[in-house]
Amino acid sequence: MLVDTIAENPFITDEDLAEFFGVSIQTIRLDRLELSIPELRERIKHVAEKRFEDEVRSLPLEEVIGEIIDIDLDSSAISLLDIKKEHVFIRNKIARGHHLFAQANSLAVAVINDELALTAKANIQFTQSVKEEDRVIAKAKVTKIDELTGRTFIEVNSYVNNELVFKGDFEMYRSQKNTKG
Amino acid sequence: MLVDTIAENPFITDEDLAEFFGVSIQTIRLDRLELSIPELRERIKHVAEKRFEDEVRSLPLEEVIGEIIDIDLDSSAISLLDIKKEHVFIRNKIARGHHLFAQANSLAVAVINDELALTAKANIQFTQSVKEEDRVIAKAKVTKIDELTGRTFIEVNSYVNNELVFKGDFEMYRSQKNTKG
């Protein structure tokens, strides 16, 4: 019954399941473990990954730095990156610039509706220090696609707790000018 | 005798050692292996690393992306990065932009003669695709240090086989205005 209920509604919480079956949350958790059903967070991630795998064209999803949580090709995209130990300077625990750049740059690649997307130029600014444990939300917006060359201009703003920490203007190459599939 | 000779002159080649002892190069190599003396390349690397460890102030040497091969604080620095499988896009084997950026950016941090150096802005350009197996030589040059704020301007040009592949202008924060130790 647990398997069926979760299959029907993968986004149901353990709390709701406990209420539904009239048992404790602990029971649900143990049963999930026994049946190897991942927790809600993992299930959401799995569904999200599966969905965007079919959508992103310019690179395999595992090559995106950060986790894509929304994408509309040639228009906009959002990703999140949790800053961990391996992203910060040992001395001051400040996130290293190239990780914020990597998140933004790979989002700029991912948003392009083409098999080939490469960065030509970028103009970037680090507006605030990002620390270990911070969650960085990067928002990419396609501002212009040159009709002739296909050159694509993308603005990426990254936030921690709604405060701007990074902004970048990217100019990207692509192999063809637009959504030709 | 081999141990002593190499200790005295760590940069001696196997060829020179063979000539010196009147034996074959093969003999020298086998003896080195038996005595666990690394080959010349490794010895050079070791000495180089040791030397720059004392010199670079703004970050531990292992946090520099690439290998520093020359540095003159607040003036210039050179590093090399060998592009391997983990640096390229799976599909086209082209080096991902953030690795070239990381090499240049960390060199810009390393060249600064201060305990604290952070990137404020960067204006970058990818002028040519870099492929797996390429060796990227990044050259950083400090072009200006603002007298009042200590804001430091650094130009980094990266080359593969003497061809420009990346250029970046970095504007860096530091904690104090110059070489105060």
Side-chain angles (χ1 to χ4, degrees):
Chain A
M1 281 199 306
L2 188 62
V3 174
D4 289 345
T5 310
I6 292 177
E8 262 171 46
N9 178 8
F11 296 146
I12 194 165
T13 64
D14 285 352
E15 286 71 14
D16 288 346
L17 286 166
E19 210 184 301
F20 184 75
F21 290 113
V23 297
S24 73
I25 294 176
Q26 194 57 23
T27 303
I28 295 291
R29 281 193 192 135
L30 289 171
D31 285 356
R32 267 206 302 95
L33 277 177
E34 223 165 82
L35 295 161
S36 301
I37 303 172
E39 56 167 340
L40 177 59
R41 236 179 94 109
E42 288 305 307
R43 296 200 301 272
I44 290 178
K45 217 177 135 182
H46 181 74
V47 169
E49 272 168 10
K50 229 185 123 189
R51 215 185 102 214
F52 294 125
E53 191 65 75
D54 301 331
E55 214 148 328
V56 173
R57 294 186 60 206
S58 56
L59 79 179
L61 210 58
E62 67 266 26
E63 289 196 283
V64 175
I65 315 293
E67 191 185 327
I68 290 192
I69 53 174
D70 190 38
I71 193 156
D72 179 8
L73 290 185
D74 276 345
S75 169
S76 65
I78 300 175
S79 79
L80 65 84
L81 178 69
D82 287 319
I83 300 300
K84 305 207 176 103
K85 217 178 147 140
E86 66 266 28
H87 299 117
V88 300
F89 283 110
I90 295 167
R91 280 193 199 161
N92 50 29
K93 309 289 177 206
I94 292 176
R96 305 194 60 176
H98 66 265
H99 294 300
L100 299 187
F101 175 79
Q103 179 188 14
N105 193 26
S106 66
L107 194 62
V109 170
V111 75
I112 288 184
N113 190 6
D114 201 303
E115 301 285 328
L116 178 82
L118 291 172
T119 310
K121 292 180 193 171
N123 208 320
I124 63 179
Q125 209 173 326
F126 298 90
T127 54
Q128 191 123 351
S129 295
V130 174
K131 295 275 191 176
E132 198 174 329
E133 311 268 288
D134 281 347
R135 166 165 287 187
V136 184
I137 311 283
K139 298 184 182 178
K141 204 175 143 64
V142 176
T143 55
K144 188 184 153 197
I145 304 176
D146 188 284
E147 286 284 326
L148 279 174
T149 60
R151 204 60 82 92
T152 303
F153 298 81
I154 298 164
E155 200 181 287
V156 183
N157 291 309
S158 301
Y159 302 85
V160 171
N161 295 326
N162 237 8
E163 267 198 87
L164 189 72
V165 295
F166 170 95
K167 64 194 267 67
D169 289 311
F170 293 84
E171 186 180 331
M172 313 290 293
Y173 291 108
R174 59 162 74 201
S175 60
Q176 52 220 45
K177 90 175 168 203
N178 51 28
T179 56
K180 199 176 102 190
Chain B
M1 281 201 303
L2 189 61
V3 173
D4 289 346
T5 310
I6 292 177
E8 262 172 46
N9 177 7
F11 295 147
I12 195 166
T13 63
D14 286 351
E15 286 72 13
D16 288 345
L17 286 166
E19 209 183 302
F20 185 74
F21 289 114
V23 297
S24 73
I25 294 176
Q26 194 56 22
T27 302
I28 295 291
R29 283 194 191 134
L30 289 171
D31 285 357
R32 267 205 302 94
L33 278 176
E34 223 163 80
L35 295 161
S36 303
I37 303 171
E39 55 167 341
L40 177 59
R41 237 179 94 109
E42 286 305 306
R43 296 199 304 271
I44 289 178
K45 214 176 136 184
H46 181 74
V47 169
E49 273 169 8
K50 230 185 124 192
R51 214 186 104 213
F52 295 125
E53 192 64 75
D54 301 331
E55 215 149 327
V56 173
R57 292 186 61 205
S58 55
L59 79 179
L61 211 57
E62 67 267 26
E63 288 196 283
V64 175
I65 314 293
E67 189 187 327
I68 290 193
I69 53 173
D70 190 40
I71 194 157
D72 179 8
L73 290 185
D74 276 345
S75 169
S76 65
I78 300 175
S79 79
L80 64 83
L81 178 69
D82 287 319
I83 300 301
K84 303 205 178 106
K85 216 176 146 144
E86 65 265 30
H87 299 118
V88 301
F89 284 110
I90 295 167
R91 280 193 199 162
N92 50 29
K93 308 289 177 205
I94 293 175
R96 305 193 62 175
H98 66 265
H99 294 300
L100 299 188
F101 175 78
Q103 178 189 15
N105 194 26
S106 66
L107 194 62
V109 170
V111 76
I112 288 183
N113 190 7
D114 201 303
E115 301 286 330
L116 179 81
L118 291 172
T119 310
K121 292 179 191 171
N123 207 320
I124 63 179
Q125 209 174 327
F126 299 91
T127 54
Q128 191 123 351
S129 296
V130 173
K131 295 277 188 173
E132 197 175 331
E133 310 268 288
D134 280 347
R135 165 165 287 186
V136 184
I137 310 283
K139 298 184 183 180
K141 203 176 145 63
V142 176
T143 55
K144 189 182 151 196
I145 303 175
D146 189 285
E147 286 283 324
L148 280 173
T149 60
R151 203 60 81 93
T152 303
F153 298 82
I154 298 164
E155 198 182 289
V156 183
N157 291 310
S158 300
Y159 303 86
V160 171
N161 295 325
N162 237 8
E163 267 197 87
L164 189 72
V165 295
F166 170 95
K167 64 193 266 69
D169 289 310
F170 293 85
E171 187 180 329
M172 314 289 293
Y173 291 108
R174 57 162 74 201
S175 60
Q176 52 221 48
K177 90 175 166 202
N178 48 27
T179 56
K180 201 177 101 187

